[in-house]
Amino acid sequence: MGSHAEWRKIAKKQRRKRIRTFQAIERDKVMLTDFYIEQQELELKLLLEQITKQNDEENEKWMRAELIANTRWKRLLEEKERHKQKCLEQEAKLKLEWELEQKEKAMEEERIKAAQEALKIKQECFMNSLDKFLSGDSDEPPSELKVMHETRPDADICPFFSKTASCRFGDQCSRNHQYPGISKVLLGTNFYVHFGLSNANVNEYDTDIMLEYDENDTYKEFDDFFYDVLSEFEKFGRITQFKVCNNYEKHLRGNTYVEFYELRSAVAAYRSLHTRWYGGRQLSLQFCLINSWRSAICGLQLQRRCPKGRACNFLHVFRNPNNLFNGYNDDVQDKSRSSRSSRRSWRWSESPETDVLKRIVSSRSERSNNTTTATDKRRRRSRHSDDGDKHQRRRSPRRSDRR
Ligand SMILES: [Zn+2]
Ligand SMILES: [Zn+2]
């Protein structure tokens, strides 16, 4: 029996042990759950904290980027605005400049137009004065024709212009150029045109030497020109000097000077021939003062010793055919002769150019029984001496298309 009680004792002990163990397990279970939850909560909290921190960082980064972008945008806008302003200013400036330019252009055009108008009126007045002088009986030209035009009245007289009526500087010359209202000498500027004169390679002495030979084509050309022009000018009165330049310099090249015995003849010739056409070129005549042919013509050129050569500012002239007007007629410039006038021949009315010319021609033919022109004389001489040989002159083909 003792053993049963002992077994029971052990059994109870074992049961208690089992209960204790179970209880302990249960207790552990509870404790483990609490710990797990605690752990979980802690982890969650940590995670939340981490997320919040990350969010804050991201937010801050974004804010910074936003700020930078905003600043950039603002700057860009400002830049754009500045550029626009600049463009507008530039545009306004250009517009203003254009307007100013247009205004100046209009003013300049107005000025040119007014100047042209004034010149036209002046020219018309001048032509009317010429006609008045030609139509009247008075030997004395009207006072308005005696007015001398001066380019620089305060400056010294230009030594070249005063001698040759031509200056390489034109009216831009710093010295004074004096233009007479009218005069006995007419100048056709650059009137005679020849390839030898416009060709830079041709030496002026060669041109001169070539002209010595009648057979030479060059001389024949000048010969034709000489008689064509002389006969045309002679219709208006007696000619006392006729010089054609063979200078190379442009302001003297081909210049043709015709001096009349009477002032009236020069005026009539100017009135009729100025702006007329010869050989396809329009003739531009001007009145000029040549006080002494000896001073105007380069003396050394005649001896072919001019040291200035092409650069010479004095007249180098062609040798006229048949020795016509070949000297200096300075002694002919006797002023008392100008008082002699053929009033009957010059009694013209204020009629058109052609009428004036017709009257002159008819008046000259009236006198033709008594007087002979230099051309007539020369031509007669030429006929007698050459008698139809190579020097026989034919009428120039240029004459027909002159007008
Ligand atoms: Zn000058
Ligand atoms: Zn010279």
Side-chain angles (χ1 to χ4, degrees), residues 10 13 16 61 121 127 131 145 167 179 182-183 194 216 277 279-280 294 297 322 337 353 357 374:
I10 290 164
K13 202 181 168 180
R16 279 199 299 272
K61 229 190 215 171
I121 291 168
M127 288 302 192
D131 287 341
L145 287 180
C167 169
Y179 289 91
I182 49 174
S183 66
H194 181 258
N216 196 293
W277 294 78
R294 199 176 291 277
I297 296 165
N322 268 318
R337 292 205 193 197
E353 220 175 285
L357 184 63

Side-chain angles (χ1 to χ4, degrees), residues 238 340 363-374 376-377 380:
R238 186 180 150 199
R340 240 179 59 186
S363 70
R364 288 216 63 79
S365 64
E366 264 176 41
R367 296 192 300 171
S368 63
N369 290 336
N370 308 321
T371 58
T372 47
T373 63
D376 295 336
K377 280 182 202 159
R380 207 171 296 155

Side-chain angles (χ1 to χ4, degrees), residues 158-161 166-170 173-177:
C158 174
F160 296 109
F161 192 86
S166 195
C167 169
R168 67 168 64 240
F169 302 113
C173 181
S174 59
R175 304 286 185 88
N176 189 17
H177 291 181

Side-chain angles (χ1 to χ4, degrees), residues 49-281:
E49 269 177 15
Q50 215 171 0
I51 289 170
T52 310
K53 198 182 164 193
Q54 235 170 26
N55 275 356
D56 284 351
E57 274 174 9
E58 285 295 318
N59 209 25
E60 204 178 321
K61 229 190 215 171
W62 186 84
M63 290 286 271
R64 268 206 303 274
E66 173 87 355
L67 193 72
I68 290 167
N70 265 340
T71 315
R72 273 187 194 162
W73 176 243
K74 241 184 188 170
R75 215 181 291 154
L76 201 74
L77 277 183
E78 278 171 9
E79 193 66 37
K80 217 171 155 185
E81 187 61 29
R82 258 206 302 277
H83 182 70
K84 200 175 151 191
Q85 200 63 32
K86 211 172 160 186
C87 282
L88 280 172
E89 276 171 21
Q90 192 75 15
E91 217 170 89
K93 199 179 155 193
L94 281 176
K95 200 180 163 201
L96 199 76
E97 274 175 11
W98 184 81
E99 278 172 355
L100 261 170
E101 206 174 283
Q102 288 305 106
K103 210 172 154 186
E104 272 172 25
K105 213 169 142 188
M107 271 164 72
E108 181 66 11
E109 270 170 20
E110 197 84 1
R111 201 188 58 76
I112 290 171
K113 209 177 145 191
Q116 278 173 345
E117 203 64 35
L119 194 75
K120 204 178 147 195
I121 291 168
K122 211 174 147 189
Q123 188 69 16
E124 272 170 16
C125 281
F126 180 64
M127 288 302 192
N128 285 340
S129 299
L130 292 186
D131 287 341
K132 209 170 103 191
F133 173 50
L134 291 176
S135 63
D137 286 342
S138 167
D139 289 337
E140 270 298 296
S143 56
E144 60 263 33
L145 287 180
K146 288 192 202 163
V147 178
M148 177 97 74
H149 165 66
E150 297 185 77
T151 53
R152 286 171 205 272
D154 300 329
D156 289 340
I157 295 286
C158 174
F160 296 109
F161 192 86
S162 64
K163 283 179 183 135
T164 65
S166 195
C167 169
R168 67 168 64 240
F169 302 113
D171 285 346
Q172 304 304 310
C173 181
S174 59
R175 304 286 185 88
N176 189 17
H177 291 181
Q178 292 179 316
Y179 289 91
I182 49 174
S183 66
K184 287 182 184 178
V185 187
L186 285 176
L187 164 59
T189 40
N190 308 125
F191 187 18
Y192 180 60
V193 181
H194 181 258
F195 77 94
L197 293 177
S198 34
N199 190 336
N201 297 320
V202 173
N203 185 295
E204 64 185 275
Y205 293 129
D206 295 344
T207 318
D208 199 31
I209 289 162
M210 280 199 293
L211 288 167
E212 283 191 68
Y213 305 98
D214 271 22
E215 292 80 10
N216 196 293
D217 281 347
T218 314
Y219 192 77
K220 263 190 88 181
E221 251 181 65
F222 173 67
D223 196 306
D224 281 344
F225 173 83
F226 179 84
Y227 284 111
D228 271 359
V229 176
L230 181 66
S231 61
E232 199 65 30
F233 277 80
E234 269 186 335
K235 289 174 183 169
F236 302 93
R238 186 180 150 199
I239 287 169
T240 54
Q241 189 55 283
F242 193 103
K243 297 285 186 207
V244 181
C245 294
N246 61 23
N247 292 69
Y248 169 75
E249 288 293 323
K250 213 172 172 195
H251 68 288
L252 291 171
R253 197 184 298 168
N255 278 5
T256 304
Y257 297 80
V258 184
E259 183 176 14
F260 282 92
Y261 181 61
E262 284 177 280
L263 186 62
R264 240 172 219 287
S265 310
V267 171
Y270 176 88
R271 191 68 186 89
S272 218
L273 299 177
H274 178 57
T275 68
R276 260 183 63 183
W277 294 78
Y278 176 78
R281 283 164 58 86

